[in-house]
Amino acid sequence: MTICCIFRSYVDQRRFDEAGVKVVSLQAETRNERPRAVGKLVRLAKQADVVQCTMWDASLWGRIAAILARKPVVVADHATNRSIQLATSGQSRQRWIALHNRLLDRFTYATVICAESQREVLRSEGVDPGKIVYIPNGIPLDQITAAAEHPPTRASLGIDGDGPIVAQIGVFRPEKNQIGGIETVAALRESVPDARLALIGDGDDRGEVEGKADALDARGWAHFVGFRDDIAALLGLADLMLLPSISDALPVTVLEAMTVGVPVVATDVGDVAATLGEAGICVPRPDPAELAAACAEVLTDPARAVRMAEIGRERSHAFGATEMARRYAEVFERAAAREPLPRALPTA
């Protein structure tokens, strides 16, 4: 297996080396650099049996390379709302992505969605409904459960006191709405004064989020943990996970929280509500007051929090990495053999 990054890899290279996975980084950061990288992508594609493209821009350049190399290509899409996919100029790429899907779908073996809520978006862009395959995200359940049993100390994260910890996990981007997370916990502290917020992750918008924390005088209770690769262990410290996203499909962080028995409060985006069931509370929109009220319901009712934890652990069993890998393998094997997409592949 070879992983090709349009720009660069952000994951510790040793993890790939241990798994025998080759990683190629094209360093094609700008729009002008990417067409020049197509030649290298084509050479990589010729060595493969199947090319999988995950998200944009990979689904554009990777498909072009696969077509030129005459290799079957599979697209994995994780977006439920194209409006969040912006060009470097800040302009929406919605029409641009839809155009490329219409042009390239006939060369695409299958498009994998991780949330049923994505299906209509792709249909509206001209993707053949018969080529859309539903494979929900999966996680290594046993590893995550074991890691959560050994959380770091509060002191190691700079969190003082013994009040409840609300964890928000994600790349600092507008759709993840870390500013909304700070506003939510600020409102929550009116009823739960000792609540703390742990913001786990990093990204381009971190400076803006830190500015909001300063404006709200939140530095005493809003803790910027930074990028971490021990999310399950960190969740072992959390009393609640907050997902105030403006747009999402099926966040892995929700599955991880369910697996380790952490109740979730989230906006009703993508498949989050259907996935959580009674393991969490979803509010219709990312409104800080509504999210804070839901957080207070959980944190002030220990018996309900325990029930949510039990339900979450039970429901997480449907999202194991082994089942996800089996479904992807079936698609890849059929694609490599140039066989029709199996009708029996589960769709829900």
Side-chain angles (χ1 to χ4, degrees):
M1 179 177 173
T2 297
I3 294 177
C4 180
C5 305
I6 299 293
F7 183 25
R8 66 169 182 259
S9 169
Y10 293 91
V11 180
D12 187 344
Q13 180 68 41
R14 291 172 296 181
R15 295 173 62 182
F16 291 124
D17 292 340
E18 290 167 2
V21 175
K22 179 182 178 181
V23 179
V24 177
S25 296
L26 298 181
Q27 302 293 331
E29 183 175 7
T30 68
R31 184 168 53 189
N32 292 332
E33 290 172 331
R34 289 174 183 177
R36 292 198 293 268
V38 169
K40 189 168 186 178
L41 270 173
V42 172
R43 289 192 292 274
L44 287 170
K46 286 180 177 179
Q47 300 170 25
D49 297 300
V50 179
V51 176
Q52 176 181 324
C53 309
T54 303
M55 295 297 291
W56 293 83
D57 288 340
S59 293
L60 170 59
W61 302 113
R63 273 198 282 194
I64 290 172
I67 292 165
L68 293 174
R70 300 189 177 186
K71 297 291 183 174
V73 60
V74 176
V75 169
D77 199 306
H78 290 207
T80 56
N81 184 348
R82 295 292 187 208
S83 65
I84 66 170
Q85 292 175 299
L86 305 176
T88 52
S89 63
Q91 294 181 325
S92 172
R93 304 177 72 199
Q94 185 168 357
R95 293 176 62 187
W96 181 252
I97 293 173
L99 173 63
H100 282 93
N101 270 337
R102 287 189 175 90
L103 291 173
L104 300 176
D105 184 61
R106 67 191 183 107
F107 302 102
T108 306
Y109 178 77
T111 296
V112 177
I113 56 174
C114 66
E116 282 287 355
S117 50
Q118 299 173 262
R119 198 180 292 273
E120 189 53 42
V121 174
L122 291 165
R123 283 175 174 169
S124 71
E125 295 174 348
V127 175
D128 181 352
K131 293 182 178 181
I132 298 174
V133 180
Y134 170 65
I135 305 178
N137 292 329
I139 56 176
L141 302 173
D142 293 340
Q143 291 179 32
I144 288 170
T145 301
E149 294 174 356
H150 304 283
T153 63
R154 286 176 171 245
S156 69
L157 302 179
I159 301 176
D160 58 359
D162 57 1
I165 295 176
V166 177
Q168 182 178 351
I169 306 161
V171 179
F172 280 62
R173 291 198 304 253
E175 70 270 20
K176 298 298 184 180
N177 193 23
Q178 277 87 0
I179 286 178
I182 292 176
E183 292 173 336
T184 295
V185 176
L188 170 65
R189 283 172 60 83
E190 295 178 10
S191 57
V192 187
D194 57 350
R196 301 283 190 270
L197 173 64
L199 290 155
I200 303 164
D202 210 338
D204 294 341
D205 288 357
R206 178 166 172 170
E208 184 181 355
V209 178
E210 290 181 333
K212 184 65 175 181
D214 292 335
L216 291 176
D217 195 23
R219 289 291 188 162
W221 51 263
H223 304 276
F224 289 81
V225 177
F227 177 83
R228 302 282 293 232
D229 59 6
D230 58 343
I231 299 301
L234 293 172
L235 281 169
L237 266 185
D239 299 281
L240 178 71
M241 197 195 90
L242 176 64
L243 186 91
S245 294
I246 295 167
S247 176
D248 241 320
L250 179 57
V252 169
T253 53
V254 168
L255 305 181
E256 291 173 324
M258 291 167 62
T259 301
V260 303
V262 176
V264 178
V265 169
T267 44
D268 187 4
V269 290
D271 281 13
V272 172
T275 301
L276 281 173
E278 294 182 7
I281 300 175
C282 282
V283 302
R285 56 188 183 278
D287 178 74
E290 294 183 35
L291 288 164
C295 291
E297 284 183 39
V298 178
L299 294 177
T300 59
D301 188 345
R304 185 178 183 184
V306 169
R307 288 197 302 274
M308 285 180 165
E310 292 172 350
I311 293 169
R313 291 189 187 97
E314 181 63 31
R315 292 177 71 89
S316 71
H317 294 165
F319 299 95
T322 301
E323 176 61 13
M324 176 186 68
R326 185 193 67 77
R327 291 180 173 186
Y328 269 105
E330 185 172 4
V331 173
F332 292 156
E333 287 163 5
R334 292 293 186 110
R338 314 283 176 149
E339 295 177 355
L341 197 64
R343 292 183 179 274
L345 201 69
T347 59

Coordinates of all heavy atoms in Angstrom, one line a residue, residues 31-84:
R31 N -2.2 26.0 -6.1 CA -2.9 25.6 -7.3 C -2.1 25.4 -8.5 O -2.3 24.5 -9.3 CB -4.0 26.6 -7.6 CG -5.0 26.3 -8.7 CD -6.2 27.2 -8.7 NE -5.7 28.6 -8.8 CZ -6.6 29.6 -8.6 NH1 -7.8 29.4 -8.4 NH2 -6.1 30.9 -8.7
N32 N -1.0 26.2 -8.7 CA -0.2 26.0 -9.8 C 0.8 24.8 -9.7 O 1.2 24.3 -10.7 CB 0.7 27.3 -10.0 CG -0.2 28.5 -10.4 OD1 -1.2 28.3 -11.0 ND2 0.3 29.7 -10.0
E33 N 1.1 24.4 -8.5 CA 2.0 23.3 -8.3 C 1.3 22.0 -8.5 O 2.0 21.0 -8.9 CB 2.6 23.3 -6.9 CG 3.6 24.5 -6.6 CD 4.0 24.6 -5.2 OE1 3.1 24.2 -4.3 OE2 5.1 25.0 -4.9
R34 N 0.0 21.9 -8.4 CA -0.7 20.6 -8.4 C -0.7 20.0 -9.8 O -0.5 18.8 -10.0 CB -2.1 20.7 -7.8 CG -1.9 20.9 -6.3 CD -3.2 21.2 -5.5 NE -2.8 21.4 -4.1 CZ -3.7 21.7 -3.2 NH1 -4.9 21.9 -3.5 NH2 -3.3 21.9 -1.9
P35 N -1.0 20.8 -10.9 CA -1.0 20.2 -12.2 C 0.4 19.6 -12.5 O 0.5 18.6 -13.2 CB -1.3 21.3 -13.1 CG -2.1 22.3 -12.3 CD -1.5 22.2 -10.9
R36 N 1.4 20.2 -12.1 CA 2.8 19.8 -12.3 C 3.1 18.4 -11.6 O 4.0 17.7 -12.0 CB 3.8 20.8 -12.0 CG 3.8 22.1 -12.8 CD 5.1 22.9 -12.7 NE 5.2 23.5 -11.4 CZ 4.8 24.7 -11.1 NH1 4.2 25.4 -12.0 NH2 5.0 25.2 -9.9
A37 N 2.3 18.1 -10.6 CA 2.5 16.9 -9.8 C 1.8 15.7 -10.5 O 1.9 14.6 -10.0 CB 2.1 17.1 -8.4
V38 N 0.9 16.0 -11.5 CA 0.1 14.9 -12.1 C 1.0 13.8 -12.6 O 0.7 12.6 -12.5 CB -0.8 15.5 -13.1 CG1 -1.5 14.3 -13.9 CG2 -1.9 16.3 -12.4
G39 N 2.1 14.1 -13.3 CA 3.0 13.1 -13.8 C 3.5 12.1 -12.8 O 3.4 10.9 -13.1
K40 N 3.9 12.6 -11.6 CA 4.3 11.7 -10.6 C 3.1 10.9 -10.1 O 3.3 9.6 -9.8 CB 4.9 12.5 -9.4 CG 5.6 11.6 -8.4 CD 6.4 12.4 -7.4 CE 7.1 11.5 -6.4 NZ 8.0 12.3 -5.5
L41 N 1.9 11.5 -10.0 CA 0.7 10.7 -9.6 C 0.4 9.6 -10.6 O 0.1 8.5 -10.1 CB -0.5 11.7 -9.5 CG -0.7 12.4 -8.1 CD1 -1.8 13.4 -8.3 CD2 -1.0 11.4 -7.0
V42 N 0.6 9.9 -11.8 CA 0.3 8.9 -12.9 C 1.2 7.7 -12.7 O 0.8 6.5 -12.8 CB 0.4 9.5 -14.3 CG1 0.3 8.4 -15.3 CG2 -0.8 10.5 -14.5
R43 N 2.5 8.0 -12.5 CA 3.5 6.9 -12.3 C 3.2 6.1 -11.1 O 3.3 4.8 -11.1 CB 4.9 7.5 -12.2 CG 5.4 8.1 -13.5 CD 6.9 8.4 -13.4 NE 7.2 9.5 -12.5 CZ 7.2 10.8 -12.8 NH1 6.8 11.2 -14.1 NH2 7.5 11.7 -12.0
L44 N 2.7 6.7 -10.0 CA 2.3 5.9 -8.8 C 1.1 5.1 -9.1 O 0.9 3.9 -8.7 CB 2.0 6.9 -7.7 CG 3.2 7.5 -7.0 CD1 2.7 8.6 -6.0 CD2 4.0 6.5 -6.2
A45 N 0.1 5.7 -9.8 CA -1.1 5.0 -10.2 C -0.9 3.7 -11.0 O -1.5 2.7 -10.9 CB -2.1 5.9 -10.9
K46 N 0.1 3.8 -11.9 CA 0.4 2.7 -12.8 C 0.9 1.5 -12.0 O 0.8 0.4 -12.5 CB 1.4 3.1 -13.9 CG 0.9 4.0 -15.0 CD 1.9 4.4 -16.0 CE 1.3 5.2 -17.1 NZ 2.3 5.6 -18.1
Q47 N 1.5 1.8 -10.8 CA 2.0 0.7 -10.0 C 0.9 0.0 -9.1 O 1.1 -1.0 -8.5 CB 3.1 1.2 -9.0 CG 4.3 1.8 -9.8 CD 5.2 2.6 -8.8 OE1 5.2 2.3 -7.6 NE2 6.0 3.5 -9.3
A48 N -0.3 0.6 -9.1 CA -1.4 0.2 -8.2 C -2.4 -0.7 -9.0 O -2.5 -0.7 -10.2 CB -2.1 1.4 -7.7
D49 N -3.1 -1.5 -8.2 CA -4.3 -2.2 -8.7 C -5.5 -1.3 -8.7 O -6.4 -1.4 -9.5 CB -4.5 -3.5 -7.9 CG -3.4 -4.4 -8.0 OD1 -3.1 -4.9 -9.2 OD2 -2.7 -4.7 -7.0
V50 N -5.6 -0.5 -7.6 CA -6.8 0.4 -7.4 C -6.2 1.7 -6.8 O -5.3 1.7 -6.0 CB -7.8 -0.2 -6.4 CG1 -9.0 0.7 -6.2 CG2 -8.3 -1.6 -6.9
V51 N -6.8 2.8 -7.3 CA -6.5 4.1 -6.7 C -7.7 4.6 -5.9 O -8.8 4.6 -6.4 CB -6.2 5.1 -7.8 CG1 -6.0 6.5 -7.2 CG2 -5.0 4.7 -8.6
Q52 N -7.5 4.9 -4.6 CA -8.5 5.5 -3.8 C -8.2 6.9 -3.5 O -7.1 7.3 -3.1 CB -8.7 4.8 -2.5 CG -9.8 5.5 -1.6 CD -10.1 4.9 -0.3 OE1 -10.0 3.7 -0.1 NE2 -10.4 5.8 0.7
C53 N -9.2 7.8 -3.7 CA -9.0 9.2 -3.5 C -9.9 9.6 -2.3 O -11.1 9.4 -2.4 CB -9.4 10.0 -4.7 SG -8.6 9.5 -6.2
T54 N -9.3 10.3 -1.3 CA -10.1 10.7 -0.2 C -10.2 12.2 -0.1 O -9.2 12.9 0.1 CB -9.5 10.1 1.1 OG1 -9.4 8.7 1.0 CG2 -10.3 10.5 2.3
M55 N -11.4 12.7 -0.2 CA -11.7 14.1 -0.1 C -11.1 14.9 -1.2 O -10.3 14.4 -2.0 CB -11.3 14.7 1.3 CG -12.1 14.1 2.4 SD -13.8 14.5 2.4 CE -13.8 16.2 2.7
W56 N -11.4 16.2 -1.3 CA -10.8 17.2 -2.2 C -9.7 17.9 -1.6 O -9.7 18.1 -0.4 CB -11.9 18.2 -2.6 CG -13.0 17.5 -3.4 CD1 -14.1 16.8 -2.9 CD2 -13.1 17.4 -4.8 NE1 -14.8 16.3 -3.9 CE2 -14.2 16.6 -5.1 CE3 -12.3 17.8 -5.9 CZ2 -14.7 16.3 -6.4 CZ3 -12.7 17.5 -7.1 CH2 -13.9 16.8 -7.4
D57 N -8.6 18.1 -2.3 CA -8.4 18.0 -3.8 C -7.9 16.6 -4.3 O -7.8 16.4 -5.5 CB -7.3 19.0 -4.2 CG -7.7 20.5 -4.1 OD1 -8.9 20.7 -4.1 OD2 -6.9 21.3 -4.0
A58 N -7.7 15.7 -3.4 CA -7.2 14.4 -3.8 C -8.2 13.7 -4.8 O -7.8 13.0 -5.7 CB -7.0 13.5 -2.6
S59 N -9.5 14.0 -4.6 CA -10.5 13.3 -5.5 C -10.5 13.9 -6.9 O -11.0 13.3 -7.8 CB -11.9 13.4 -4.9 OG -11.9 12.6 -3.7
L60 N -9.9 15.1 -7.1 CA -9.7 15.6 -8.4 C -8.5 15.1 -9.0 O -8.5 14.4 -10.1 CB -9.7 17.1 -8.4 CG -9.3 17.8 -9.7 CD1 -10.2 17.5 -10.8 CD2 -9.2 19.3 -9.5
W61 N -7.3 15.4 -8.4 CA -6.0 15.0 -9.0 C -5.8 13.5 -9.1 O -5.2 13.0 -10.0 CB -4.9 15.7 -8.3 CG -5.0 17.2 -8.3 CD1 -5.3 18.0 -7.2 CD2 -5.0 18.1 -9.4 NE1 -5.4 19.3 -7.6 CE2 -5.3 19.4 -9.0 CE3 -4.8 17.8 -10.8 CZ2 -5.3 20.5 -9.9 CZ3 -4.8 18.9 -11.7 CH2 -5.1 20.2 -11.2
G62 N -6.2 12.8 -8.0 CA -6.1 11.4 -8.0 C -6.9 10.7 -9.1 O -6.5 9.7 -9.7
R63 N -8.1 11.2 -9.3 CA -8.9 10.6 -10.4 C -8.3 10.9 -11.8 O -8.3 10.0 -12.6 CB -10.4 11.1 -10.3 CG -11.2 10.4 -9.4 CD -12.7 10.6 -9.6 NE -13.2 11.9 -9.0 CZ -14.5 12.2 -8.9 NH1 -15.4 11.3 -9.2 NH2 -14.8 13.3 -8.3
I64 N -7.8 12.1 -12.0 CA -7.2 12.4 -13.2 C -6.0 11.4 -13.5 O -5.8 10.8 -14.6 CB -6.7 13.8 -13.3 CG1 -8.0 14.7 -13.4 CG2 -5.8 14.1 -14.5 CD1 -7.6 16.2 -13.2
A65 N -5.2 11.2 -12.4 CA -4.1 10.3 -12.5 C -4.5 8.8 -12.8 O -3.9 8.1 -13.7 CB -3.2 10.3 -11.3
A66 N -5.6 8.4 -12.1 CA -6.0 7.0 -12.3 C -6.6 6.8 -13.8 O -6.4 5.8 -14.4 CB -7.1 6.7 -11.3
I67 N -7.3 7.9 -14.3 CA -7.8 7.8 -15.6 C -6.7 7.7 -16.6 O -6.7 6.9 -17.6 CB -8.7 9.0 -15.9 CG1 -10.0 8.9 -15.0 CG2 -9.1 9.1 -17.4 CD1 -10.8 10.2 -15.0
L68 N -5.7 8.5 -16.5 CA -4.5 8.5 -17.4 C -3.8 7.2 -17.3 O -3.2 6.7 -18.3 CB -3.6 9.7 -17.1 CG -4.2 11.1 -17.4 CD1 -3.3 12.2 -16.9 CD2 -4.5 11.2 -18.9
A69 N -3.7 6.6 -16.1 CA -3.0 5.3 -15.9 C -3.9 4.1 -16.2 O -3.5 3.0 -16.2 CB -2.5 5.2 -14.5
R70 N -5.2 4.4 -16.5 CA -6.2 3.4 -16.8 C -6.3 2.4 -15.7 O -6.3 1.1 -15.9 CB -5.8 2.7 -18.2 CG -5.8 3.6 -19.3 CD -5.6 2.9 -20.7 NE -5.7 3.8 -21.8 CZ -5.7 3.5 -23.1 NH1 -5.6 2.2 -23.4 NH2 -5.7 4.4 -24.0
K71 N -6.5 2.9 -14.5 CA -6.7 2.1 -13.3 C -8.0 2.4 -12.7 O -8.5 3.6 -12.8 CB -5.6 2.4 -12.3 CG -4.2 2.0 -12.7 CD -4.0 0.5 -12.8 CE -2.6 0.2 -13.2 NZ -2.3 -1.3 -13.2
P72 N -8.7 1.4 -12.1 CA -10.0 1.7 -11.4 C -9.8 2.6 -10.3 O -8.8 2.6 -9.6 CB -10.4 0.3 -11.0 CG -9.2 -0.6 -11.0 CD -8.3 0.0 -12.0
V73 N -10.8 3.5 -10.1 CA -10.6 4.5 -9.0 C -11.9 4.6 -8.1 O -13.0 4.5 -8.6 CB -10.3 5.9 -9.6 CG1 -11.4 6.3 -10.6 CG2 -10.1 6.9 -8.6
V74 N -11.6 4.6 -6.9 CA -12.7 4.7 -5.8 C -12.5 6.1 -5.1 O -11.4 6.5 -4.8 CB -12.6 3.6 -4.8 CG1 -13.6 3.7 -3.7 CG2 -12.8 2.2 -5.5
V75 N -13.6 6.8 -4.9 CA -13.6 8.0 -4.2 C -14.2 7.8 -2.8 O -15.3 7.2 -2.7 CB -14.3 9.1 -5.0 CG1 -14.6 10.4 -4.1 CG2 -13.6 9.5 -6.2
A76 N -13.6 8.4 -1.8 CA -14.2 8.4 -0.4 C -14.5 9.9 -0.1 O -13.6 10.7 0.0 CB -13.3 7.8 0.6
D77 N -15.8 10.2 0.1 CA -16.2 11.5 0.4 C -16.8 11.6 1.8 O -17.5 10.8 2.2 CB -17.3 12.0 -0.6 CG -17.4 13.5 -0.7 OD1 -17.6 14.1 0.3 OD2 -17.4 14.0 -1.8
H78 N -16.3 12.7 2.5 CA -16.8 12.8 3.9 C -17.5 14.1 4.2 O -17.7 14.6 5.3 CB -15.6 12.8 4.9 CG -14.9 11.4 5.0 ND1 -14.3 11.0 6.1 CD2 -14.9 10.4 4.1 CE1 -13.8 9.8 5.9 NE2 -14.2 9.4 4.7
A79 N -18.0 14.8 3.1 CA -18.7 16.1 3.2 C -20.2 16.0 3.1 O -20.7 15.3 2.3 CB -18.1 17.0 2.2
T80 N -20.9 16.7 4.0 CA -22.3 16.8 3.9 C -22.8 18.2 3.4 O -23.9 18.4 3.2 CB -23.0 16.5 5.3 OG1 -22.4 17.4 6.2 CG2 -22.7 15.1 5.7
N81 N -21.8 19.1 3.4 CA -22.1 20.5 3.0 C -21.0 21.1 2.3 O -19.9 21.4 2.9 CB -22.4 21.3 4.3 CG -22.9 22.7 4.1 OD1 -22.7 23.2 3.0 ND2 -23.4 23.3 5.1
R82 N -21.1 21.3 1.0 CA -20.0 21.8 0.2 C -19.6 23.3 0.5 O -18.6 23.7 0.2 CB -20.4 21.7 -1.3 CG -20.6 20.3 -1.8 CD -19.3 19.6 -1.8 NE -19.5 18.3 -2.5 CZ -18.8 17.2 -2.3 NH1 -17.8 17.2 -1.3 NH2 -19.0 16.1 -2.9
S83 N -20.6 24.0 1.2 CA -20.3 25.4 1.4 C -19.1 25.6 2.3 O -18.5 26.7 2.4 CB -21.5 26.1 2.1 OG -21.8 25.5 3.4
I84 N -18.7 24.5 3.1 CA -17.5 24.7 4.0 C -16.2 24.5 3.2 O -15.1 24.7 3.8 CB -17.6 23.7 5.2 CG1 -17.5 22.3 4.7 CG2 -18.9 23.9 6.0 CD1 -17.3 21.3 5.7

